[in-house]
Amino acid sequence: MRQVLLTIGALMALIVLITAGTTPVSPSDRVSAESNVAELLFEAGEAQPDHFLSYDEADVKRGYELIHNGRTRKANGKRSKSISKFYSCTSCHNVQREDPNLTTVDPDARLAYAMDNQLPYLQGSTFWGIVNRETWYNDDYVLKYGDLVKDAEHSLEESIQLCAEYCAQGRRLEAWEINSILAYYWTLQLKVADLDLPDEDLSRLEKARAQGNDEQVIAVLKAAYSQKSPATFSKVPDDKTEGYDYQGRPELGKAIYELSCQHCHKPYGVSDLVLDDAKYSFEWLRKNMTDHSQLSIYHIIREGTYSEKGHKEYMPLYTLEKMPHHQLEDLRSYIEQEASR
């Protein structure tokens, strides 16, 4: 009898050890795929950012039109002024997801994703998930432009203003326009489903919520996506005849030409320079490949152009995250292939 009691006691002790420190996950602690990442962070004690706001469908509609069309109608029904005579926001930015993995900077994966989904392959980072970031004009934008981007680095509102005034060569926005754009941006915020959390991470997240472990909730969520869009500037190659010493892949260069170059340089596009599929376009690009000017794809992609008196519109540069050296060589190989046909 004593032996049996000892055995039962040992089993009970084992059960206590196994269950010690565990907390049942209630239905309220479950995390839906449609849950907003920001809301989960706020619930865990994360401070709401300065760009957080309440909005309605009318605000979202106006924001959508400002982003896509450059103007909208005010609450009184009157048309607003165009933000820019030259560009809309979507000249340089997508509003869809661009990266299959939100934690990794992988331009090749991004290009493949753009090809699969027929998305423009652009210099600017997507507006999708922009409200979930914590810095904007960061990294080499700060190093190169200094005080010009100082306020925009940690303020989404100021980054919108900077983009409107300088990048789009337009005007400063009114408060209601900023709020409308922010309202639209919040409809593009990250959801839990977007994070592609492994089952074990989702389980950790739900257990942390059940236990009231806010730090763990925040850690799991923030490990699943980047809080900024990294930006690294680069230089043209020392010898443009040799280029960046990569073997170009013309099939990928074709995609870059169509999804990147022709996004702006198409008939009736935002640029005066039209690059079509005629042999002459490719011959012109090849002829200027090694030129020490903006006519060279090396200079235009790595350095962009500057706004000038009488010609305010300009082309932004591509960071290495948006077009690395080997992709530039892919583009070159396609140009040379088509020019030689």
Side-chain angles (χ1 to χ4, degrees), residues 1-276:
M1 183 66 177
R2 190 167 180 274
Q3 179 84 20
V4 172
L5 289 174
L6 286 172
T7 302
I8 292 173
L11 286 173
M12 293 296 293
L14 180 61
I15 291 171
V16 169
L17 285 173
I18 291 173
T19 59
T22 63
T23 304
V25 177
S26 68
S28 63
D29 296 317
R30 298 291 180 191
V31 177
S32 165
E34 291 303 303
S35 297
N36 293 321
V37 172
E39 289 182 7
L40 293 174
L41 290 171
F42 300 159
E43 288 174 7
E46 185 86 352
Q48 292 178 342
D50 291 340
H51 56 265
F52 181 80
L53 78 171
S54 299
Y55 57 87
D56 58 28
E57 288 303 314
D59 295 324
V60 173
K61 183 176 184 295
R62 283 191 285 268
Y64 176 95
E65 291 173 348
L66 288 167
I67 291 295
H68 291 265
N69 306 325
R71 64 190 308 183
T72 185
R73 290 194 180 276
K74 302 179 183 181
N76 61 12
K78 292 185 178 180
R79 299 217 42 197
S80 64
K81 295 179 181 178
S82 292
I83 296 174
S84 169
K85 296 188 298 183
F86 311 110
Y87 306 109
S88 68
C89 300
T90 51
S91 297
C92 294
H93 299 271
N94 283 315
V95 297
Q96 303 92 347
R97 181 175 187 153
E98 291 182 333
D99 297 287
N101 187 323
L102 301 185
T103 64
T104 305
V105 176
D106 185 344
D108 289 332
R110 178 171 165 258
L111 177 59
Y113 191 87
M115 292 167 66
D116 289 342
N117 295 279
Q118 283 302 290
L119 294 175
Y121 192 64
L122 304 176
Q123 302 100 317
S125 298
T126 180
F127 292 149
W128 182 84
I130 192 171
V131 295
N132 300 96
R133 295 176 210 148
E134 297 176 2
T135 63
W136 293 274
Y137 284 88
N138 39 249
D139 301 341
D140 280 358
Y141 284 104
V142 176
L143 294 179
K144 181 173 182 178
Y145 296 109
D147 288 345
L148 180 65
V149 303
K150 179 180 64 175
D151 294 335
E153 182 184 5
H154 297 288
S155 168
L156 180 53
E157 178 176 336
E158 286 302 320
S159 75
I160 295 170
Q161 293 285 23
L162 180 68
C163 203
E165 286 189 273
Y166 292 93
C167 301
Q169 287 297 299
R171 61 174 175 83
R172 192 164 180 84
L173 303 181
E174 298 179 33
W176 71 268
E177 291 174 306
I178 289 288
N179 288 340
S180 297
I181 289 173
L182 289 176
Y184 174 56
Y185 282 172
W186 276 105
T187 69
L188 306 177
Q189 65 179 301
L190 298 180
K191 297 183 180 297
V192 169
D194 300 320
L195 304 182
D196 299 319
L197 288 172
D199 289 343
E200 58 268 27
D201 285 348
L202 183 59
S203 178
R204 284 175 58 220
L205 177 61
E206 292 179 336
K207 287 180 179 178
R209 295 188 78 210
Q211 296 167 353
N213 188 342
D214 292 339
E215 289 185 2
Q216 179 80 334
V217 169
I218 293 171
V220 171
L221 289 172
K222 289 199 170 185
Y225 69 97
S226 177
Q227 283 82 62
K228 71 174 183 179
S229 181
T232 307
F233 296 174
S234 188
K235 298 179 179 179
V236 299
D238 294 331
D239 184 343
K240 291 189 286 294
T241 300
E242 294 296 325
Y244 289 116
D245 196 26
Y246 287 95
Q247 181 63 47
R249 301 160 293 180
E251 67 279 7
L252 295 181
K254 180 177 188 294
I256 293 169
Y257 186 77
E258 294 173 349
L259 300 176
S260 184
C261 304
Q262 290 186 322
H263 178 71
C264 290
H265 298 283
K266 60 187 175 185
Y268 309 107
V270 298
S271 174
D272 296 332
L273 174 64
V274 174
L275 298 174
D276 57 20

